[in-house]
Amino acid sequence: MRHPANLAATLAATLAVATLIPAATATAHHGRQGAYDISRPIALEGVVTAASFAPPHPVITIRVDARPRAAAATGIPGYEGAAAIVRREDAGQLRVIEFSPLPQFTALRDTVAVGQRIQVMAFRNCIGANDLRGHWVRTANGTVAQRENRPTSA
């Protein structure tokens, strides 16, 4: 039989670990959220190859057009006159764009399908090499979804 002091110590250690696991999981998920380069919105246009609207975030994968159009002024509220850039390295490539878990993006599950053309304006995550956070999207049927506020860089 275990000594009561050892049993109490074992129980305390088990509870401490059990309470840390959910916190570590949340940190692992949200720990890379932060630093987006909002000074250079990235314009992507292409065909949807995969789409998931399951928690925690909507994620759309597109094959970017091999010959993208030149970037134009975005015309997006909060970005008037800001030219989105078209990166040469995106041409012909698959790009995974993660969106915030906001109703306007999760509602796209009813309008975005594999094989459809979409346009996206995204920001590059300065921490993750190729992480892209979608901020605005126009679907094949003309539906536009966007964040209501301009994100901050920190």
Side-chain angles (χ1 to χ4, degrees):
M1 182 166 179
R2 290 189 172 194
H3 189 274
N6 289 341
L7 185 59
T10 301
L11 182 59
T14 302
L15 287 173
V17 169
T19 58
L20 291 176
I21 290 171
T25 303
T27 301
H29 173 71
H30 290 281
R32 292 180 43 165
Q33 231 174 15
Y36 292 93
D37 182 0
I38 64 170
S39 68
R40 298 179 53 170
I42 299 165
L44 301 163
E45 187 170 351
V47 176
V48 176
T49 62
S52 170
F53 296 93
H57 296 277
V59 177
I60 299 173
T61 303
I62 66 171
R63 179 164 304 281
V64 179
D65 291 343
R67 295 183 185 181
R69 292 188 278 171
T74 61
I76 300 167
Y79 297 92
E80 292 85 354
I85 63 168
V86 175
R87 303 184 309 179
R88 289 184 184 178
E89 68 264 26
D90 291 326
Q93 300 299 309
L94 287 176
R95 291 296 183 241
V96 178
I97 303 113
E98 181 179 281
F99 293 84
S100 296
L102 300 172
Q104 58 266 42
F105 293 128
T106 56
L108 292 173
R109 79 172 46 88
D110 299 327
T111 56
V112 171
V114 171
Q116 288 184 332
R117 292 189 57 74
I118 65 169
Q119 296 172 304
V120 176
M121 195 270 293
F123 297 110
R124 181 183 66 85
N125 189 332
C126 298
I127 298 169
N130 290 312
D131 292 347
L132 295 171
R133 174 59 62 104
H135 189 76
W136 175 91
V137 61
R138 177 181 291 132
T139 65
N141 70 3
T143 299
V144 172
Q146 73 179 58
R147 283 184 60 116
E148 296 300 320
N149 59 336
R150 186 175 180 144
T152 58
S153 58

